[in-house]
Amino acid sequence: MYDLLVIGGGPAGLSAALNARRRNKRVLLAAKETISSKLRPAGRIENYPGLPGVSGPELAERFREHAVATGVEIRKEDVLNLQRGKDGFFVMGKNESYEAAAVILATGSPQKALLPGETRLAGRGVSYCATCDGMFFRDRDVMVISQLPAGEEEAAFLAGICRKVYYLPEYKGEYNLPPGVELVSGKALRLEGDEQLERVVTTAGEYDLSGVFIERAGLPPEQLCPGLVTVDEAIQVDRRMATNIPGLFAAGDCTGRPWQIAKAVGEGQVAALSAVQYLAEQERANKPG
Ligand SMILES: Cc1cc2nc3c(=O)[nH]c(=O)nc-3n(C[C@H](O)[C@H](O)[C@H](O)COP(=O)(O)OP(=O)(O)OC[C@H]3O[C@@H](n4cnc5c(N)ncnc54)[C@H](O)[C@@H]3O)c2cc1C
């Protein structure tokens, strides 16, 4: 079991992880991407103290090197769900499951509204994990709707199982898709179906499908952790960056504006110190006698 699991590899998560490591805690950082999708396109950053003009990717790499040098274990992992149990948290990722005594959410800016129909059809043709659910759609027609290049891997995986795979990217760039995956240049508008998904309606037309796989930079916080209190889509925290769930802290863009690197780094540090204090309190409470 880890002392602390940090979810998200942006400035807030890396700051939290390295500060907890400096307090000698066993820390795992689970990050969906090697470089935060926010910092990747950030050209020149002029408001981060001491490093005027640094590029987003360079700053991200420096944060990452620093965290690794401190002994933080970083895993490429997409966390799908976390639940609080008696002795800590059970965290389910796409690849593996983890246990940790405390958790810090550093998942970036809150996800806005889901697609109309998405919540109702989740688990009924709507999936967030090709590796987990792909086999249910063997020889069927599916679509991947993705905010991230990582969706290309999902499409490639599904191409080996499904009859037809459509790929609708919600980001700009080169698309590295295997033969047979058809690119859809449009915007997803809604998901339709009564008991099961039947079609995806896009600005490029309607697609009759058995499954849709949605790849986002992050899940809405309350979907990630049922029972978590949010206000205007941001995770509600106190000055210690504690959420309404004991042992669960949050930092960075996911707690609300301003969406800035220095704020994310500062909140990451506060969350780490609060988590360390929480762990010490738990240890004292669990001591016999
Ligand atoms: C183009 C651009 C330019 C910017 N320029 C500036 C600037 O000049 N100055 C400034 O101060 N700020 C700037 N910002 C804002 C800044 O990038 C963000 O405020 C900062 O990155 C927030 O850090 P964070 O760690 O909270 O979130 P993020 O950097 O968004 O990192 C969150 C990470 O968590 C990951 N994640 C989410 N959910 C999960 C999950 N379930 N499992 C695993 N991982 C998950 C995401 O994939 C992401 O990598 C800019 C943003 C953009 C887009």
Side-chain angles (χ1 to χ4, degrees), residues 6-15 30-48 54 56 59 75-81 92-93 105-109 111 148 216-219 224 251-255 258-265 267:
V6 179
I7 305 173
L14 288 162
S15 165
K32 195 167 175 166
E33 311 159 280
T34 43
I35 288 195
S36 150
S37 52
K38 290 283 164 49
L39 286 185
R40 203 183 311 121
R44 279 170 67 87
I45 293 162
E46 296 293 357
N47 65 338
Y48 193 74
V54 68
L59 187 60
R75 280 261 182 108
K76 193 159 188 278
E77 180 66 270
D78 186 359
V79 175
L80 300 175
N81 184 261
M92 199 179 88
L105 296 172
T107 48
S109 52
Q111 288 298 312
L148 305 170
R216 292 201 174 90
L219 291 173
L224 191 60
D253 282 5
C254 64
T255 68
W259 294 340
Q260 301 268 278
I261 299 163
K263 181 248 191 197
V265 167
E267 286 192 355

Short mmCIF file of all heavy atoms in Angstrom, two decimals, residues 6-15 30-48 54 56 59 75-81 92-93 105-109 111 148 216-219 224 251-255 258-265 267, ligand 1:
data_model
loop_
_atom_site.label_atom_id
_atom_site.label_comp_id
_atom_site.label_asym_id
_atom_site.label_seq_id
_atom_site.Cartn_x
_atom_site.Cartn_y
_atom_site.Cartn_z
N VAL A 6 -1.03 10.26 -5.93
CA VAL A 6 -1.37 11.54 -6.55
C VAL A 6 -1.89 11.24 -7.94
O VAL A 6 -1.25 10.51 -8.71
CB VAL A 6 -0.13 12.46 -6.62
CG1 VAL A 6 -0.49 13.78 -7.29
CG2 VAL A 6 0.45 12.71 -5.23
N ILE A 7 -3.04 11.80 -8.28
CA ILE A 7 -3.62 11.55 -9.61
C ILE A 7 -3.48 12.82 -10.45
O ILE A 7 -4.07 13.85 -10.14
CB ILE A 7 -5.10 11.14 -9.50
CG1 ILE A 7 -5.24 9.93 -8.57
CG2 ILE A 7 -5.68 10.83 -10.88
CD1 ILE A 7 -6.68 9.55 -8.26
N GLY A 8 -2.68 12.72 -11.53
CA GLY A 8 -2.46 13.87 -12.42
C GLY A 8 -1.01 14.29 -12.42
O GLY A 8 -0.43 14.52 -11.36
N GLY A 9 -0.43 14.40 -13.62
CA GLY A 9 1.00 14.69 -13.73
C GLY A 9 1.29 16.10 -14.23
O GLY A 9 2.31 16.34 -14.87
N GLY A 10 0.40 17.05 -13.94
CA GLY A 10 0.67 18.45 -14.27
C GLY A 10 1.43 19.12 -13.13
O GLY A 10 1.91 18.43 -12.20
N PRO A 11 1.55 20.45 -13.15
CA PRO A 11 2.30 21.16 -12.11
C PRO A 11 1.79 20.86 -10.69
O PRO A 11 2.60 20.67 -9.78
CB PRO A 11 2.07 22.64 -12.45
CG PRO A 11 1.77 22.65 -13.91
CD PRO A 11 1.08 21.36 -14.21
N ALA A 12 0.48 20.77 -10.50
CA ALA A 12 -0.05 20.52 -9.15
C ALA A 12 0.34 19.13 -8.66
O ALA A 12 0.81 18.97 -7.53
CB ALA A 12 -1.57 20.67 -9.14
N GLY A 13 0.17 18.13 -9.51
CA GLY A 13 0.46 16.76 -9.11
C GLY A 13 1.94 16.54 -8.84
O GLY A 13 2.32 15.91 -7.85
N LEU A 14 2.79 17.09 -9.72
CA LEU A 14 4.23 16.90 -9.55
C LEU A 14 4.72 17.62 -8.30
O LEU A 14 5.56 17.12 -7.55
CB LEU A 14 4.97 17.37 -10.80
CG LEU A 14 4.78 16.42 -12.00
CD1 LEU A 14 5.15 17.12 -13.31
CD2 LEU A 14 5.61 15.15 -11.85
N SER A 15 4.17 18.82 -8.04
CA SER A 15 4.54 19.56 -6.83
C SER A 15 4.10 18.79 -5.59
O SER A 15 4.86 18.65 -4.62
CB SER A 15 3.88 20.95 -6.88
OG SER A 15 3.90 21.56 -5.62
N ALA A 30 0.10 8.82 -10.50
CA ALA A 30 -0.54 8.18 -11.65
C ALA A 30 -0.92 9.27 -12.63
O ALA A 30 -1.71 10.16 -12.31
CB ALA A 30 -1.79 7.43 -11.18
N ALA A 31 -0.32 9.23 -13.81
CA ALA A 31 -0.53 10.30 -14.78
C ALA A 31 -0.94 9.72 -16.12
O ALA A 31 -0.31 8.79 -16.62
CB ALA A 31 0.73 11.12 -14.94
N LYS A 32 -1.98 10.30 -16.65
CA LYS A 32 -2.52 9.82 -17.92
C LYS A 32 -1.56 10.13 -19.08
O LYS A 32 -1.46 9.39 -20.03
CB LYS A 32 -3.84 10.54 -18.13
CG LYS A 32 -4.71 9.98 -19.15
CD LYS A 32 -6.08 10.59 -19.00
CE LYS A 32 -6.96 10.12 -20.10
NZ LYS A 32 -8.35 10.39 -19.84
N GLU A 33 -0.88 11.27 -18.96
CA GLU A 33 0.01 11.70 -20.05
C GLU A 33 1.38 12.00 -19.47
O GLU A 33 1.49 12.42 -18.31
CB GLU A 33 -0.50 13.00 -20.68
CG GLU A 33 -1.96 12.97 -21.03
CD GLU A 33 -2.50 14.38 -21.15
OE1 GLU A 33 -2.79 15.00 -20.12
OE2 GLU A 33 -2.61 14.85 -22.28
N THR A 34 2.43 11.87 -20.29
CA THR A 34 3.77 12.17 -19.77
C THR A 34 3.95 13.68 -19.62
O THR A 34 4.64 14.13 -18.71
CB THR A 34 4.87 11.61 -20.70
OG1 THR A 34 4.49 11.88 -22.04
CG2 THR A 34 5.06 10.13 -20.52
N ILE A 35 3.31 14.47 -20.48
CA ILE A 35 3.33 15.93 -20.32
C ILE A 35 1.89 16.41 -20.28
O ILE A 35 1.08 16.02 -21.13
CB ILE A 35 4.09 16.62 -21.48
CG1 ILE A 35 5.58 16.37 -21.35
CG2 ILE A 35 3.82 18.12 -21.50
CD1 ILE A 35 6.44 17.26 -22.19
N SER A 36 1.58 17.25 -19.30
CA SER A 36 0.21 17.77 -19.17
C SER A 36 -0.27 18.36 -20.49
O SER A 36 0.46 19.11 -21.15
CB SER A 36 0.21 18.86 -18.08
OG SER A 36 -0.77 19.83 -18.35
N SER A 37 -1.50 18.04 -20.86
CA SER A 37 -2.03 18.55 -22.13
C SER A 37 -2.19 20.07 -22.09
O SER A 37 -2.37 20.71 -23.11
CB SER A 37 -3.37 17.88 -22.45
OG SER A 37 -4.24 18.00 -21.35
N LYS A 38 -2.13 20.66 -20.88
CA LYS A 38 -2.18 22.12 -20.77
C LYS A 38 -0.80 22.72 -21.07
O LYS A 38 -0.68 23.73 -21.75
CB LYS A 38 -2.61 22.54 -19.36
CG LYS A 38 -4.02 22.24 -19.04
CD LYS A 38 -4.93 23.27 -19.69
CE LYS A 38 -6.36 22.80 -19.73
NZ LYS A 38 -6.82 22.31 -18.43
N LEU A 39 0.25 22.08 -20.54
CA LEU A 39 1.59 22.66 -20.71
C LEU A 39 2.16 22.37 -22.10
O LEU A 39 2.99 23.12 -22.59
CB LEU A 39 2.55 22.12 -19.64
CG LEU A 39 2.35 22.70 -18.24
CD1 LEU A 39 3.42 22.21 -17.29
CD2 LEU A 39 2.36 24.23 -18.26
N ARG A 40 1.70 21.28 -22.73
CA ARG A 40 2.25 20.90 -24.04
C ARG A 40 2.16 22.07 -25.05
O ARG A 40 3.13 22.39 -25.71
CB ARG A 40 1.57 19.64 -24.56
CG ARG A 40 2.41 18.89 -25.56
CD ARG A 40 1.70 17.67 -26.14
NE ARG A 40 1.10 16.81 -25.16
CZ ARG A 40 -0.21 16.51 -25.13
NH1 ARG A 40 -1.03 16.99 -26.02
NH2 ARG A 40 -0.68 15.71 -24.21
N PRO A 41 0.98 22.72 -25.17
CA PRO A 41 0.90 23.79 -26.18
C PRO A 41 1.34 25.16 -25.66
O PRO A 41 1.29 26.13 -26.43
CB PRO A 41 -0.59 23.81 -26.52
CG PRO A 41 -1.27 23.35 -25.28
CD PRO A 41 -0.31 22.46 -24.54
N ALA A 42 1.71 25.26 -24.38
CA ALA A 42 2.04 26.59 -23.81
C ALA A 42 3.42 27.03 -24.32
O ALA A 42 4.44 26.45 -23.94
CB ALA A 42 2.00 26.53 -22.29
N GLY A 43 3.44 28.04 -25.19
CA GLY A 43 4.69 28.47 -25.84
C GLY A 43 5.66 29.13 -24.89
O GLY A 43 6.67 28.54 -24.50
N ARG A 44 5.38 30.36 -24.50
CA ARG A 44 6.27 31.09 -23.58
C ARG A 44 5.49 31.42 -22.32
O ARG A 44 4.43 32.03 -22.39
CB ARG A 44 6.75 32.39 -24.22
CG ARG A 44 7.91 32.22 -25.18
CD ARG A 44 8.11 33.51 -25.93
NE ARG A 44 8.59 34.59 -25.07
CZ ARG A 44 9.86 34.81 -24.80
NH1 ARG A 44 10.79 34.03 -25.32
NH2 ARG A 44 10.23 35.81 -24.02
N ILE A 45 6.04 31.04 -21.19
CA ILE A 45 5.39 31.34 -19.92
C ILE A 45 6.15 32.49 -19.28
O ILE A 45 7.36 32.39 -19.05
CB ILE A 45 5.37 30.09 -19.03
CG1 ILE A 45 4.45 29.05 -19.70
CG2 ILE A 45 4.90 30.40 -17.62
CD1 ILE A 45 4.64 27.67 -19.23
N GLU A 46 5.45 33.59 -19.03
CA GLU A 46 6.13 34.79 -18.55
C GLU A 46 5.82 35.10 -17.09
O GLU A 46 6.34 36.06 -16.55
CB GLU A 46 5.73 36.01 -19.42
CG GLU A 46 6.16 35.91 -20.88
CD GLU A 46 7.68 35.96 -21.09
OE1 GLU A 46 8.43 36.11 -20.10
OE2 GLU A 46 8.11 35.81 -22.24
N ASN A 47 4.93 34.31 -16.47
CA ASN A 47 4.53 34.68 -15.10
C ASN A 47 4.93 33.64 -14.06
O ASN A 47 4.42 33.65 -12.95
CB ASN A 47 3.01 34.93 -15.04
CG ASN A 47 2.22 33.65 -15.32
OD1 ASN A 47 2.73 32.72 -15.94
ND2 ASN A 47 0.98 33.62 -14.88
N TYR A 48 5.82 32.71 -14.42
CA TYR A 48 6.27 31.75 -13.41
C TYR A 48 7.58 32.29 -12.84
O TYR A 48 8.56 32.46 -13.59
CB TYR A 48 6.44 30.35 -13.99
CG TYR A 48 6.60 29.33 -12.89
CD1 TYR A 48 5.49 28.96 -12.14
CD2 TYR A 48 7.84 28.80 -12.56
CE1 TYR A 48 5.62 28.07 -11.08
CE2 TYR A 48 7.97 27.91 -11.51
CZ TYR A 48 6.85 27.55 -10.77
OH TYR A 48 6.98 26.68 -9.73
N VAL A 54 10.19 30.62 -20.17
CA VAL A 54 10.34 29.15 -20.29
C VAL A 54 9.14 28.60 -21.09
O VAL A 54 8.03 29.13 -21.01
CB VAL A 54 10.42 28.51 -18.87
CG1 VAL A 54 9.10 28.63 -18.11
CG2 VAL A 54 10.86 27.06 -18.94
N GLY A 56 6.25 25.73 -22.07
CA GLY A 56 5.46 24.78 -21.29
C GLY A 56 6.12 23.41 -21.19
O GLY A 56 6.31 22.88 -20.09
N LEU A 59 9.21 23.46 -18.94
CA LEU A 59 8.88 23.57 -17.51
C LEU A 59 8.35 22.23 -17.00
O LEU A 59 8.72 21.76 -15.92
CB LEU A 59 7.84 24.68 -17.31
CG LEU A 59 7.51 25.03 -15.86
CD1 LEU A 59 8.74 25.49 -15.10
CD2 LEU A 59 6.43 26.12 -15.80
N ARG A 75 3.77 6.46 -12.77
CA ARG A 75 3.19 5.43 -13.64
C ARG A 75 2.26 6.08 -14.65
O ARG A 75 1.47 6.95 -14.29
CB ARG A 75 2.29 4.51 -12.85
CG ARG A 75 2.94 3.49 -12.10
CD ARG A 75 3.04 2.10 -12.60
NE ARG A 75 3.73 1.44 -11.50
CZ ARG A 75 3.15 0.61 -10.69
NH1 ARG A 75 1.92 0.23 -10.91
NH2 ARG A 75 3.81 0.09 -9.69
N LYS A 76 2.35 5.63 -15.92
CA LYS A 76 1.37 6.08 -16.91
C LYS A 76 0.09 5.31 -16.64
O LYS A 76 0.04 4.10 -16.82
CB LYS A 76 1.91 5.82 -18.32
CG LYS A 76 1.13 6.52 -19.40
CD LYS A 76 1.97 6.64 -20.67
CE LYS A 76 1.28 7.50 -21.69
NZ LYS A 76 0.27 6.82 -22.48
N GLU A 77 -0.87 6.00 -16.16
CA GLU A 77 -2.11 5.33 -15.74
C GLU A 77 -3.28 6.28 -15.84
O GLU A 77 -3.16 7.46 -15.51
CB GLU A 77 -1.96 4.85 -14.29
CG GLU A 77 -3.16 4.13 -13.71
CD GLU A 77 -3.43 2.79 -14.38
OE1 GLU A 77 -4.18 2.78 -15.37
OE2 GLU A 77 -2.89 1.76 -13.91
N ASP A 78 -4.39 5.77 -16.31
CA ASP A 78 -5.62 6.54 -16.39
C ASP A 78 -6.52 6.06 -15.27
O ASP A 78 -7.00 4.93 -15.30
CB ASP A 78 -6.26 6.27 -17.77
CG ASP A 78 -7.47 7.12 -18.01
OD1 ASP A 78 -7.83 7.92 -17.11
OD2 ASP A 78 -8.06 7.00 -19.09
N VAL A 79 -6.70 6.89 -14.26
CA VAL A 79 -7.50 6.46 -13.11
C VAL A 79 -8.98 6.61 -13.44
O VAL A 79 -9.44 7.67 -13.88
CB VAL A 79 -7.13 7.27 -11.85
CG1 VAL A 79 -8.06 6.92 -10.70
CG2 VAL A 79 -5.69 6.99 -11.47
N LEU A 80 -9.73 5.53 -13.24
CA LEU A 80 -11.14 5.53 -13.61
C LEU A 80 -12.06 5.75 -12.43
O LEU A 80 -13.15 6.30 -12.57
CB LEU A 80 -11.50 4.19 -14.27
CG LEU A 80 -10.72 3.82 -15.54
CD1 LEU A 80 -11.08 2.42 -15.99
CD2 LEU A 80 -11.01 4.82 -16.65
N ASN A 81 -11.61 5.33 -11.23
CA ASN A 81 -12.50 5.41 -10.09
C ASN A 81 -11.72 5.27 -8.80
O ASN A 81 -10.72 4.58 -8.76
CB ASN A 81 -13.52 4.24 -10.21
CG ASN A 81 -14.55 4.27 -9.14
OD1 ASN A 81 -14.44 3.57 -8.15
ND2 ASN A 81 -15.57 5.09 -9.31
N MET A 92 -8.92 2.44 -8.89
CA MET A 92 -8.95 1.57 -10.06
C MET A 92 -8.44 2.34 -11.29
O MET A 92 -9.00 3.38 -11.65
CB MET A 92 -10.38 1.11 -10.30
CG MET A 92 -10.43 -0.12 -11.17
SD MET A 92 -12.12 -0.63 -11.37
CE MET A 92 -12.55 0.36 -12.78
N GLY A 93 -7.38 1.82 -11.90
CA GLY A 93 -6.86 2.42 -13.13
C GLY A 93 -7.18 1.54 -14.32
O GLY A 93 -7.66 0.42 -14.14
N LEU A 105 -6.06 14.60 -5.58
CA LEU A 105 -6.55 14.78 -6.96
C LEU A 105 -5.90 16.03 -7.54
O LEU A 105 -6.01 17.12 -6.96
CB LEU A 105 -8.07 14.96 -6.96
CG LEU A 105 -8.90 13.79 -6.46
CD1 LEU A 105 -10.37 14.20 -6.35
CD2 LEU A 105 -8.76 12.61 -7.40
N ALA A 106 -5.21 15.87 -8.66
CA ALA A 106 -4.59 17.02 -9.34
C ALA A 106 -4.88 16.84 -10.83
O ALA A 106 -3.98 16.78 -11.67
CB ALA A 106 -3.10 17.06 -9.05
N THR A 107 -6.16 16.73 -11.13
CA THR A 107 -6.59 16.25 -12.45
C THR A 107 -6.84 17.35 -13.48
O THR A 107 -7.36 17.07 -14.56
CB THR A 107 -7.87 15.40 -12.28
OG1 THR A 107 -8.79 16.12 -11.45
CG2 THR A 107 -7.56 14.07 -11.62
N GLY A 108 -6.50 18.59 -13.14
CA GLY A 108 -6.63 19.66 -14.14
C GLY A 108 -8.03 20.25 -14.18
O GLY A 108 -8.91 19.87 -13.39
N SER A 109 -8.23 21.18 -15.13
CA SER A 109 -9.46 21.97 -15.13
C SER A 109 -10.68 21.06 -15.26
O SER A 109 -10.65 20.07 -16.00
CB SER A 109 -9.45 23.02 -16.23
OG SER A 109 -9.15 22.40 -17.44
N GLN A 111 -13.93 19.10 -16.11
CA GLN A 111 -14.57 18.80 -17.38
C GLN A 111 -15.96 19.39 -17.42
O GLN A 111 -16.71 19.29 -16.47
CB GLN A 111 -14.66 17.28 -17.57
CG GLN A 111 -13.33 16.65 -17.84
CD GLN A 111 -12.71 17.16 -19.12
OE1 GLN A 111 -13.36 17.21 -20.15
NE2 GLN A 111 -11.46 17.55 -19.05
N LEU A 148 -7.61 13.60 -26.81
CA LEU A 148 -6.16 13.41 -26.65
C LEU A 148 -5.61 12.44 -27.70
O LEU A 148 -6.32 11.50 -28.10
CB LEU A 148 -5.86 12.76 -25.30
CG LEU A 148 -6.38 13.42 -24.04
CD1 LEU A 148 -6.20 12.49 -22.87
CD2 LEU A 148 -5.62 14.70 -23.82
N ARG A 216 -11.10 11.47 -22.60
CA ARG A 216 -11.00 12.89 -22.23
C ARG A 216 -9.75 13.12 -21.41
O ARG A 216 -9.20 12.19 -20.81
CB ARG A 216 -12.20 13.31 -21.39
CG ARG A 216 -13.51 13.33 -22.13
CD ARG A 216 -14.50 14.22 -21.40
NE ARG A 216 -15.72 14.36 -22.17
CZ ARG A 216 -16.77 13.55 -22.07
NH1 ARG A 216 -16.74 12.56 -21.20
NH2 ARG A 216 -17.84 13.74 -22.80
N ALA A 217 -9.35 14.42 -21.33
CA ALA A 217 -8.18 14.76 -20.50
C ALA A 217 -8.44 14.35 -19.05
O ALA A 217 -7.53 14.03 -18.31
CB ALA A 217 -7.90 16.24 -20.59
N GLY A 218 -9.69 14.34 -18.63
CA GLY A 218 -10.02 13.92 -17.28
C GLY A 218 -11.50 13.64 -17.17
O GLY A 218 -12.28 14.10 -18.00
N LEU A 219 -11.86 12.87 -16.15
CA LEU A 219 -13.28 12.60 -15.92
C LEU A 219 -13.83 13.71 -15.03
O LEU A 219 -13.10 14.29 -14.25
CB LEU A 219 -13.43 11.26 -15.20
CG LEU A 219 -13.11 10.00 -15.96
CD1 LEU A 219 -13.17 8.80 -15.02
CD2 LEU A 219 -14.09 9.81 -17.11
N LEU A 224 -15.32 10.43 -11.07
CA LEU A 224 -14.09 9.79 -10.61
C LEU A 224 -14.27 9.28 -9.18
O LEU A 224 -13.83 8.19 -8.83
CB LEU A 224 -12.95 10.82 -10.67
CG LEU A 224 -11.53 10.35 -10.49
CD1 LEU A 224 -11.16 9.36 -11.56
CD2 LEU A 224 -10.59 11.56 -10.54
N ALA A 251 -5.81 19.69 -5.64
CA ALA A 251 -4.94 20.84 -5.90
C ALA A 251 -4.91 21.17 -7.38
O ALA A 251 -5.07 20.30 -8.23
CB ALA A 251 -3.51 20.50 -5.43
N GLY A 252 -4.70 22.46 -7.67
CA GLY A 252 -4.52 22.90 -9.06
C GLY A 252 -5.81 23.33 -9.72
O GLY A 252 -6.79 23.68 -9.06
N ASP A 253 -5.82 23.26 -11.03
CA ASP A 253 -6.99 23.73 -11.81
C ASP A 253 -8.28 23.05 -11.38
O ASP A 253 -9.36 23.64 -11.50
CB ASP A 253 -6.77 23.48 -13.31
CG ASP A 253 -5.84 24.49 -13.94
OD1 ASP A 253 -5.28 25.34 -13.21
OD2 ASP A 253 -5.65 24.43 -15.18
N CYS A 254 -8.19 21.81 -10.88
CA CYS A 254 -9.42 21.08 -10.53
C CYS A 254 -10.15 21.71 -9.35
O CYS A 254 -11.32 21.39 -9.12
CB CYS A 254 -9.14 19.59 -10.28
SG CYS A 254 -8.08 19.25 -8.88
N THR A 255 -9.49 22.61 -8.60
CA THR A 255 -10.18 23.25 -7.47
C THR A 255 -10.75 24.61 -7.87
O THR A 255 -11.34 25.30 -7.04
CB THR A 255 -9.24 23.46 -6.26
OG1 THR A 255 -8.26 24.43 -6.63
CG2 THR A 255 -8.56 22.18 -5.85
N PRO A 258 -7.89 30.93 -10.09
CA PRO A 258 -7.33 31.13 -11.43
C PRO A 258 -6.61 29.87 -11.93
O PRO A 258 -5.96 29.18 -11.15
CB PRO A 258 -6.33 32.26 -11.21
CG PRO A 258 -5.91 32.14 -9.79
CD PRO A 258 -7.12 31.63 -9.05
N TRP A 259 -6.72 29.61 -13.22
CA TRP A 259 -6.05 28.47 -13.81
C TRP A 259 -4.63 28.90 -14.19
O TRP A 259 -4.38 29.36 -15.31
CB TRP A 259 -6.84 27.96 -15.02
CG TRP A 259 -8.18 27.42 -14.63
CD1 TRP A 259 -8.54 27.00 -13.37
CD2 TRP A 259 -9.33 27.23 -15.46
NE1 TRP A 259 -9.84 26.55 -13.38
CE2 TRP A 259 -10.34 26.68 -14.64
CE3 TRP A 259 -9.58 27.45 -16.80
CZ2 TRP A 259 -11.60 26.38 -15.13
CZ3 TRP A 259 -10.83 27.13 -17.28
CH2 TRP A 259 -11.83 26.60 -16.47
N GLN A 260 -3.73 28.77 -13.23
CA GLN A 260 -2.35 29.25 -13.40
C GLN A 260 -1.38 28.26 -12.78
O GLN A 260 -1.71 27.59 -11.79
CB GLN A 260 -2.18 30.61 -12.68
CG GLN A 260 -3.12 31.69 -13.18
CD GLN A 260 -2.53 32.51 -14.29
OE1 GLN A 260 -1.78 33.42 -14.05
NE2 GLN A 260 -2.86 32.19 -15.52
N ILE A 261 -0.18 28.25 -13.35
CA ILE A 261 0.82 27.27 -12.92
C ILE A 261 1.25 27.51 -11.46
O ILE A 261 1.32 26.57 -10.66
CB ILE A 261 2.05 27.31 -13.85
CG1 ILE A 261 1.62 26.97 -15.28
CG2 ILE A 261 3.12 26.35 -13.37
CD1 ILE A 261 2.63 27.35 -16.34
N ALA A 262 1.53 28.79 -11.13
CA ALA A 262 2.03 29.07 -9.77
C ALA A 262 0.99 28.68 -8.72
O ALA A 262 1.33 28.13 -7.66
CB ALA A 262 2.40 30.55 -9.65
N LYS A 263 -0.26 28.92 -9.01
CA LYS A 263 -1.33 28.53 -8.07
C LYS A 263 -1.38 27.00 -7.93
O LYS A 263 -1.54 26.45 -6.84
CB LYS A 263 -2.66 29.10 -8.59
CG LYS A 263 -3.87 28.81 -7.71
CD LYS A 263 -4.80 27.85 -8.44
CE LYS A 263 -6.15 27.71 -7.76
NZ LYS A 263 -6.85 26.51 -8.25
N ALA A 264 -1.23 26.30 -9.07
CA ALA A 264 -1.27 24.84 -9.05
C ALA A 264 -0.12 24.28 -8.21
O ALA A 264 -0.30 23.37 -7.39
CB ALA A 264 -1.21 24.29 -10.48
N VAL A 265 1.07 24.85 -8.41
CA VAL A 265 2.26 24.38 -7.67
C VAL A 265 2.08 24.62 -6.17
O VAL A 265 2.36 23.75 -5.34
CB VAL A 265 3.52 25.10 -8.21
CG1 VAL A 265 4.71 24.90 -7.30
CG2 VAL A 265 3.83 24.60 -9.62
N GLU A 267 -0.76 25.05 -4.46
CA GLU A 267 -1.80 24.19 -3.88
C GLU A 267 -1.31 22.75 -3.76
O GLU A 267 -1.68 22.05 -2.81
CB GLU A 267 -3.06 24.24 -4.75
CG GLU A 267 -3.82 25.54 -4.61
CD GLU A 267 -5.21 25.49 -5.25
OE1 GLU A 267 -5.57 24.48 -5.88
OE2 GLU A 267 -5.93 26.48 -5.10
C1 LIG B 1 -2.11 27.15 -24.19
C2 LIG B 1 -2.00 27.38 -22.70
C3 LIG B 1 -1.12 28.33 -22.23
C4 LIG B 1 -1.01 28.56 -20.85
N1 LIG B 1 -0.14 29.51 -20.42
C5 LIG B 1 -0.01 29.74 -19.09
C6 LIG B 1 0.91 30.73 -18.62
O1 LIG B 1 1.60 31.40 -19.41
N2 LIG B 1 0.99 30.91 -17.27
C7 LIG B 1 0.26 30.19 -16.36
O2 LIG B 1 0.41 30.39 -15.15
N3 LIG B 1 -0.61 29.25 -16.79
C8 LIG B 1 -0.78 29.00 -18.11
N4 LIG B 1 -1.67 28.06 -18.55
C9 LIG B 1 -2.48 27.32 -17.55
C10 LIG B 1 -1.67 26.18 -16.92
O3 LIG B 1 -1.17 25.34 -17.92
C11 LIG B 1 -2.54 25.40 -15.93
O4 LIG B 1 -3.07 26.29 -14.95
C12 LIG B 1 -1.74 24.32 -15.23
O5 LIG B 1 -1.23 23.39 -16.16
C13 LIG B 1 -2.61 23.61 -14.20
O6 LIG B 1 -1.89 22.56 -13.63
P1 LIG B 1 -2.64 21.28 -13.01
O7 LIG B 1 -1.56 20.37 -12.53
O8 LIG B 1 -3.68 21.72 -12.06
O9 LIG B 1 -3.45 20.64 -14.23
P2 LIG B 1 -2.94 20.09 -15.64
O10 LIG B 1 -1.69 20.75 -16.07
O11 LIG B 1 -4.12 20.19 -16.53
O12 LIG B 1 -2.59 18.57 -15.35
C14 LIG B 1 -3.56 17.65 -15.01
C15 LIG B 1 -3.13 16.30 -15.52
O13 LIG B 1 -3.92 15.28 -14.90
C16 LIG B 1 -4.18 14.29 -15.85
N5 LIG B 1 -5.37 13.56 -15.45
C17 LIG B 1 -6.65 14.01 -15.43
N6 LIG B 1 -7.48 13.04 -15.03
C18 LIG B 1 -6.70 11.95 -14.80
C19 LIG B 1 -7.00 10.62 -14.41
N7 LIG B 1 -8.26 10.24 -14.14
N8 LIG B 1 -5.97 9.73 -14.28
C20 LIG B 1 -4.69 10.11 -14.54
N9 LIG B 1 -4.36 11.36 -14.93
C21 LIG B 1 -5.36 12.26 -15.06
C22 LIG B 1 -4.41 15.06 -17.15
O14 LIG B 1 -4.26 14.20 -18.25
C23 LIG B 1 -3.32 16.12 -17.04
O15 LIG B 1 -2.12 15.70 -17.61
C24 LIG B 1 -1.80 27.81 -19.92
C25 LIG B 1 -2.68 26.84 -20.41
C26 LIG B 1 -2.79 26.62 -21.77
C27 LIG B 1 -3.76 25.59 -22.27
#
